[in-house]
Amino acid sequence: MLRSLLFLPGNNPNLIMNGGILGADGIIFDLEDAVAPDEKDGARILVRNAMKALDYGSVNIIVRINSIDDNGYWKADLDEVIPLKPYMIMPTKVSDAGYIKQISAYIDEVEKRNNMKVGSTKLIPLLETAIGIENAYNIATSDARIEAMFIGAEDLTADLQCERTKAGNEIFYARARIVSAARAAGVEVIDTPFTDVNDDEGIVIDAKYAKSLGFSGKASISPRHVNAINTVFSPTQDEVDYAYEVLEAIEQAKAQGKGAISLYGKMIDAPIVMRAERVIASAKAIGIAK
Amino acid sequence: MEIKAKSFAGTLESSDVFVEVSPNSGRKINLESVVLAQFGDDITRVVNEVLDSFKVDNIAITLKDRGALECTIRARVETAIRRQEGK
Amino acid sequence: MSKLINSINEAIKQSGLKSGMTISFHHHLRNGDFVMNAVVDEIAKLGIKDITINASSFFDAHAPIIEHIKNGVVSGLECSYMSGRIGVAVSSGILDKPVIFRSHGGRPADIISGKSHIDVAFVAAPTADKMGNCSGKYGPSACGALGYAFADAMHADHVVVITDNLVPYPLSDFSINETYIDAVVKVDKIGDPAGIVSGTTKITRDPVGLVMADYAAQTIKHSGLLKDGFSFQTGAGGASLAAANYLKDIMLAEKIKGSYGMGGITKYMVDMLVAGCFHTLIDVQCFDLDAVNSLRTNPGHREVTASHYASPIAKSAAVDNLDVVILGATEIDLDFNVNVHTDSSGVIMGGSGGHNDTAAGSKIAMIIAPLVRARLPLISDKVLCVTTPGKTVDILVTQRGIAVNPNRPELLANLKGTGLPIMDMRDLQKLALGITGTPKPITRGKKVVAEVIYRDGTKIDEIMQVI
C-alpha cells in the first residue's frame, strides 16, 4: 500500500530517526538531490546504519540512489543499502530500458555478493526527463524488478523548458503518459510532490487531481502533506460499502445460478468486480474494512 | 587500517555527532557529549567496537556529540575513518 | 501630592530595607527585565546584606544576581521558575539555603496568608502615574498583564513602583492601583522589549512536533469534553501552540462555542477568541505582542491576578473550572509524576509555573512531549524531581504513542477505537529505551539546593546538588 511516500534527506539523523512516525506509507531516504556531493558517503553510511538499527514497523523503506551519470555514486549507494533489503530502490533520471538493465545487472552482482536471492530487490524508476516520459512503457516493462513508476515534475519541467505551476497543465501529458504506461505494464504509479509546503488546500486539490488521472499514490517533500495525501488516496466509507455490496451481489447471483446481475440498476461486469476487490484490499490495508 | 590523514564526519546539529580522526600512536578517544553522564561509557564502547571492526589501533578520535543515537555514532565514526583512506 | 522619588537608591533608603529582609519582583518583563539587577546593584552599594529575593521567576538576564550571592548581598531565592545561568549556579550549590519553589498559585497564596512575608516589593511597571496607579498594557516596555505582581503589591510592607513611562495622574486603565503603593521611581528603561515579548510566537515547523500536536488535538476531540462551554489552557511551546491551532480548526468545523481560554496568552489563543472559539480569555501574562494588543483592546480579554488564576486558598480560582490543559515535561515517570524543574541531568532549568496548579484544577491534564529528545528518553522509572504529582496527570501524548493514566478509565474508554496509538506507559518506556539505550542513573550530591513546595503548601520534593 503506497498512498503516500515521504522524502527524507539521507544525511539528517534527526529526520531519519523519526521517519517512521510521520504517517507516510513509505519513506524515501534520499541519497541524491538532498545530499551535497561531499556528503554522499556520509549519507549512505548513515542510511545503512539507521536501516540496520531502527525499527520502522510497517513503513516501507525506499532508497533514492544517485543517477548513473554521477561519478559512480550509484554503485556505492547500492553496495551500502541493498544488503539491508529496502522495500524498493529508486533509480533517478531514468531515460530508457537500457538504463534500468544497467542498474538491474549491478544489483544482481550485489545480491549475489551478499547471498541474497537474485531479483529480490524491487525498483521504482523515477522519470524526470522528456526522453524518460517518451520511453515510459519500455521502462515499465524493462525488468521484473519494477513494481511501480514515479514521475518527478521539477526536473521534467526544466527539461521541457516550461514553468512548473501549481495547476500543472504543463505536466498533464507526462502524467497521463506514465499512468497509462504503468497500468499497461501492471505496476503501481506514484505522482510527483506538491512543492508548496505551506499550501494546505493546494495539496488536497493536487492529490485529488492525481487520483483522478489514475495514480495510486503521491510523494511529498513535507510531512505536513502526508495526512492529506493519505486521505485522498484512501477509499471513502461509501466506496468501501459499495464494494462489499458488489461482492455480495455477485455471491448471490452465483448461488442463484444467474449469469448477469445488476445493482442499483447498473450491470455488474468484470471491471466493476475488479474495482470492488481493489477497494476492499486497500480498505483492509489501512484498517477500515469490515 | 592505518590512519594516515586527518578527516571529519558528521555535524554539530542536534541528534548528530561531529567526528574528527587523525594519526596517532595508540588509541586516544576524546569525547564531549550532551549526554556524557547518561551515555558516556556506552558511546566509548561503540567507538571502540567500530575501531576494532576496521582494525584501527593507532588513532586520535574526537567526538562532539549532540545526542546522536548509537547507529548515528557508528555511521559517523565509520565515515570519518573511511574518508581519510581516500585522501 | 506625589510619591515620586528621584532614584532607586533613595527609594530603597526610604523603604527602610535592612539586612536579612525579603524583597520581591514579578517576571512580566521576562528575559528583558532590567529592574531586578538595577535594584540589587543599589542594595549592594548601600551595604545591605543577606537579602532574600522572592521573584515570580528568574531568567538568564538575572545572571548578575550570581555575583551578589557570592558577595553576600543575596542569601536566599524564592520563585516559581528559574532558568539560564542562575539555575546552573544554584544547581551547583552556590547558596547555603535551599531555593524555595512555589507554583504560580501557591506563591500568591503564601504571600496573602502571610506564610511568605515580603518586606519591600519592587514592581516594574511599563506605565504608571505619580501616585503609583500602574499598568503593563502601555508604554515602550509594554508586557500586557501584570498578574503575578498583584499579591506582592497588595501584601508587601512597602511597595515601590519603577517605571519608564510616567503619565499624567490619574492613569485611567490601571491594573494595580495607588492605594497599595508607597513610592514611584522613574528610570530610563525598565527592560529590553525584544526580551519582554517576542514579536510573534510561532507554532512549530518540526514534523515530530506536528505529529504530537495532531495527536493532542485528536485526543481532546475524543475526550468527551469538547462541547459548548469548553475551557482550555496551553503553554507557549511550539507543539502546544500547534495543538491549539489544530483544536481551533476542529472547534470551528464542529461549531463548538467554548467558554474561556486561559494562561500565558499568545497570538494563537487570541485568534481562537476572535474566531469565536471562546467568549473570554483569562490572562495572567502575555507572551507576545498580539496578546498585549488584544488585552488592551478586546473587552473579552481579561487580565487576572495570579490568585484569581490559580490560588489554592482563594474561594475559587479559574483553574478550578478548566476542562483541558496542555503541559510540557522534561521527564515523566511510570506513575505519571512530571518534572519540569530540572533537565535529565538534574540541572535546574524551569519550575512549576502554573503546571501543578492547572493539572490539579483541570479535568484533563495532558502532557505533550517528544518520547526521545536527542538521545534522552522522556519516560524514567522515577523522575529526578516531582513538580506535578502523577495522580493529577491524566494523559501523556508523544509522537510514538499515547499513555492514559490508569486512574482515568473513562478517558481510556473514550479514546478506544479512535485510531489513536494508545499504549501502556511501560510499553511506551520500552519503546523509548529501545531507541536510546538505557541511560546510566545520574549521580547527585548530598546537599539540598532547592525545596519544591506543592500548591497545597506541603514539600513535594527536594532538588539535590549537581556534581
Side-chain angles (χ1 to χ4, degrees):
Chain A
M1 183 83 186
L2 288 183
R3 293 168 299 174
S4 51
L5 286 182
L6 176 63
F7 276 100
L8 296 172
N11 204 33
N12 184 321
N14 186 38
L15 286 175
I16 289 178
M17 166 175 125
N18 286 301
I21 55 110
L22 301 174
D25 294 331
I27 47 182
I28 305 168
F29 291 138
D30 189 4
L31 302 180
E32 196 217 14
D33 283 354
V35 179
D38 55 357
E39 285 297 333
K40 296 285 186 193
D41 56 343
R44 70 174 77 95
I45 293 172
L46 181 67
V47 164
R48 188 242 296 149
N49 275 279
M51 286 173 67
K52 195 169 174 179
L54 302 178
D55 178 6
Y56 287 95
S58 60
V59 176
N60 296 305
I61 307 271
I62 296 169
V63 181
R64 175 156 93 165
I65 59 170
N66 287 281
S67 154
I68 54 173
D69 307 324
D70 284 341
N71 292 324
Y73 292 140
W74 66 282
K75 284 192 177 178
D77 294 342
L78 292 170
D79 291 339
E80 294 287 347
V81 301
I82 294 285
L84 276 303
K85 299 183 178 148
Y87 175 63
M88 289 196 275
I89 293 288
M90 180 183 288
T92 46
K93 299 192 178 68
V94 177
S95 51
D96 54 26
Y99 187 118
I100 293 295
K101 289 205 176 85
Q102 198 180 340
I103 299 239
S104 186
Y106 188 70
I107 294 177
D108 283 0
E109 277 180 46
V110 181
E111 285 171 341
K112 279 180 205 153
R113 208 190 299 148
N114 289 282
N115 299 316
M116 292 166 66
K117 188 169 168 256
V118 172
S120 58
T121 306
K122 301 300 176 192
L123 294 177
I124 173 169
L126 169 52
L127 274 50
E128 50 187 335
T129 57
I131 185 71
I133 295 297
E134 289 303 319
N135 289 325
Y137 178 71
N138 286 340
I139 293 168
T141 52
S142 63
D143 197 287
R145 293 182 186 276
I146 292 174
E147 294 233 318
M149 301 282 277
F150 176 41
I151 180 171
E154 297 305 306
D155 284 22
L156 177 63
T157 45
D159 198 32
L160 292 173
Q161 302 181 23
C162 63
E163 197 187 330
R164 176 88 170 95
T165 67
K166 273 192 191 182
N169 291 331
E170 71 283 359
I171 55 166
F172 168 74
Y173 166 77
R175 275 171 153 172
R177 178 86 191 245
I178 195 172
V179 169
S180 178
R183 295 306 180 199
V187 300
E188 299 297 317
V189 58
I190 308 295
D191 190 36
T192 187
F194 181 73
T195 49
D196 183 349
V197 298
N198 294 316
D199 187 350
D200 295 339
E201 284 160 23
I203 175 62
V204 175
I205 294 166
D206 197 46
K208 282 184 174 164
Y209 182 59
K211 189 186 182 186
S212 78
L213 290 177
F215 282 98
S216 32
K218 188 170 174 66
S220 170
I221 54 167
S222 166
R224 283 182 56 178
H225 287 171
V226 167
N227 280 345
I229 293 172
N230 284 345
T231 305
V232 168
F233 285 95
S234 299
T236 64
Q237 196 59 52
D238 284 350
E239 286 170 329
V240 176
D241 292 345
Y242 178 74
Y244 277 109
E245 285 179 277
V246 167
L247 296 194
E248 227 167 82
I250 289 289
E251 285 304 311
Q252 276 178 12
K254 272 187 197 158
Q256 294 164 7
K258 283 189 200 164
I261 54 136
S262 64
L263 184 64
Y264 301 122
K266 196 179 172 195
M267 277 296 285
I268 303 293
D269 53 10
I272 289 183
V273 175
M274 271 170 63
R275 182 183 291 264
E277 282 167 348
R278 269 206 308 275
V279 166
I280 287 167
S282 48
K284 279 182 179 158
I286 58 173
I288 60 166
K290 272 185 195 167
Chain B
M1 184 191 290
E2 204 180 325
I3 304 295
K4 290 177 186 155
K6 204 174 205 181
S7 74
F8 313 91
T11 71
L12 293 172
E13 304 282 309
S14 178
S15 303
D16 205 346
V17 55
F18 181 77
V19 179
E20 178 181 343
V21 300
S22 53
N24 192 48
S25 129
R27 242 185 224 182
K28 190 176 144 211
I29 301 175
N30 177 12
L31 172 62
E32 177 193 299
S33 172
V34 294
V35 292
L36 192 67
Q38 293 91 344
F39 291 104
D41 295 348
D42 207 59
I43 295 169
T44 307
R45 173 185 59 78
V46 165
V47 171
N48 274 312
E49 275 179 28
V50 178
L51 296 181
D52 288 348
S53 72
F54 283 88
K55 299 191 170 55
V56 174
D57 295 319
N58 297 305
I59 185 172
I61 179 165
T62 298
L63 299 97
K64 291 179 182 163
D65 171 45
R66 298 291 184 262
L69 296 184
E70 182 177 318
C71 61
T72 304
I73 295 167
R74 285 183 188 279
R76 297 316 194 190
V77 172
E78 179 183 332
T79 304
I81 294 172
R82 285 171 58 178
R83 261 183 199 173
Q84 63 81 39
E85 213 184 4
K87 281 191 180 173
Chain C
M1 186 194 168
S2 169
K3 296 174 185 169
L4 276 173
I5 306 277
N6 284 327
S7 67
I8 291 175
N9 187 293
E10 281 178 43
I12 295 167
K13 280 193 251 175
Q14 189 210 48
S15 75
L17 185 73
K18 291 183 189 61
S19 295
M21 284 185 167
T22 296
I23 61 174
S24 89
F25 301 91
H26 68 73
H27 75 275
H28 291 282
L29 303 179
R30 303 172 63 75
N31 204 35
D33 176 43
F34 291 167
V35 170
M36 187 194 298
N37 294 336
V39 168
V40 179
D41 283 349
E42 293 303 324
I43 289 173
K45 282 184 200 156
L46 290 167
I48 300 169
K49 301 266 180 189
D50 192 22
I51 291 293
T52 294
I53 304 178
N54 181 340
S56 48
S57 294
F58 292 96
F59 287 90
D60 194 56
H62 301 124
I65 300 299
I66 297 166
E67 277 312 305
H68 290 301
I69 291 171
K70 288 182 184 158
N71 64 30
V73 174
V74 174
S75 63
L77 302 179
E78 303 184 12
C79 63
S80 301
Y81 180 96
M82 176 181 285
S83 64
R85 284 167 283 176
I86 196 162
V88 174
V90 165
S91 305
S92 74
I94 191 176
L95 278 166
D96 291 335
K97 277 189 284 189
V99 169
I100 307 295
F101 276 106
R102 296 182 184 85
S103 69
H104 275 161
R107 181 177 181 273
D110 278 4
I111 292 171
I112 292 165
S113 71
K115 269 194 213 167
S116 153
H117 180 76
I118 295 168
D119 294 296
V120 184
F122 295 90
V123 178
T127 290
D129 63 30
K130 64 178 183 176
M131 303 308 289
N133 294 301
C134 59
S135 165
K137 297 180 210 169
Y138 310 93
S141 307
C143 60
L146 287 178
Y148 302 121
F150 283 85
D152 307 44
M154 292 160 77
H155 297 275
D157 289 346
H158 190 93
V159 181
V160 180
V161 163
I162 299 174
T163 188
D164 56 7
N165 188 40
L166 194 67
V167 295
Y169 180 85
L171 167 64
S172 60
D173 188 13
F174 56 82
S175 293
I176 296 169
N177 76 63
E178 61 182 306
T179 64
Y180 303 105
I181 311 302
D182 294 280
V184 178
V185 180
K186 164 79 167 67
V187 296
D188 286 344
K189 282 210 85 50
I190 60 169
D192 169 13
I196 297 169
V197 284
S198 55
T200 48
T201 36
K202 282 261 160 39
I203 61 170
T204 185
R205 294 191 61 82
D206 167 36
V208 172
L210 291 174
V211 170
M212 290 170 2
D214 182 37
Y215 285 161
Q218 292 299 324
T219 299
I220 294 169
K221 177 180 172 176
H222 296 291
S223 67
L225 295 176
L226 191 62
K227 50 194 180 203
D228 287 348
F230 176 72
S231 59
F232 175 65
Q233 175 166 344
T234 186
S240 306
L241 294 177
N245 210 35
Y246 288 145
L247 186 64
K248 181 178 102 182
D249 293 343
I250 294 170
M251 291 179 76
L252 293 178
E254 303 196 353
K255 300 191 168 54
I256 291 163
K257 298 267 176 219
S259 55
Y260 67 98
M262 185 161 70
I265 298 296
T266 58
K267 171 183 187 290
Y268 293 92
M269 294 295 271
V270 170
D271 287 349
M272 290 177 86
L273 175 70
V274 171
C277 297
F278 307 115
H279 58 71
T280 299
L281 287 184
I282 294 182
D283 185 348
V284 68
Q285 72 170 323
C286 299
F287 284 128
D288 57 28
L289 288 172
D290 289 83
V292 176
N293 290 336
S294 166
L295 179 66
R296 192 162 45 216
T297 55
N298 191 331
H301 185 160
R302 279 301 304 261
E303 176 182 31
V304 293
T305 67
S307 290
H308 187 174
Y309 166 48
S311 170
I313 62 164
K315 288 177 182 172
S316 76
V319 291
D320 301 333
N321 272 304
L322 200 53
D323 284 329
V324 174
V325 62
I326 299 181
L327 298 164
T330 56
E331 284 184 302
I332 184 166
D333 66 25
L334 295 173
D335 299 319
F336 286 77
N337 296 307
V338 173
N339 175 16
V340 288
H341 272 90
T342 75
D343 66 15
S344 303
S345 302
V347 178
I348 294 168
M349 40 63 62
S352 173
H355 201 287
N356 63 38
D357 299 308
T358 51
S362 61
K363 293 194 183 77
I364 292 179
M366 174 189 291
I367 304 298
I368 164 167
L371 188 63
V372 174
R373 266 194 198 93
R375 197 181 173 174
L376 293 168
L378 174 69
I379 305 167
S380 60
D381 291 347
K382 180 90 193 67
V383 286
L384 291 174
C385 172
V386 178
T387 304
T388 298
K391 63 175 194 286
T392 63
V393 173
D394 303 302
I395 186 164
L396 167 67
V397 174
T398 76
Q399 77 276 31
R400 288 176 192 267
I402 298 171
V404 180
N405 192 324
N407 70 13
R408 296 302 305 275
E410 78 294 352
L411 177 58
L412 184 64
N414 284 338
L415 297 177
K416 279 245 168 88
T418 56
L420 288 165
I422 308 293
M423 292 173 73
D424 183 82
M425 191 64 142
R426 280 176 194 280
D427 294 335
L428 204 49
Q429 185 193 29
K430 265 187 221 151
L431 186 61
L433 295 180
I435 295 166
T436 62
T438 305
K440 217 167 83 176
I442 297 292
T443 316
R444 287 182 294 172
K446 297 220 167 3
K447 180 176 169 180
V448 176
V449 297
E451 293 183 352
V452 179
I453 310 298
Y454 187 54
R455 67 195 302 262
D456 66 1
T458 59
K459 184 163 79 179
I460 189 170
D461 211 341
E462 291 174 339
I463 299 173
M464 311 306 288
Q465 184 179 16
V466 170
I467 49 171

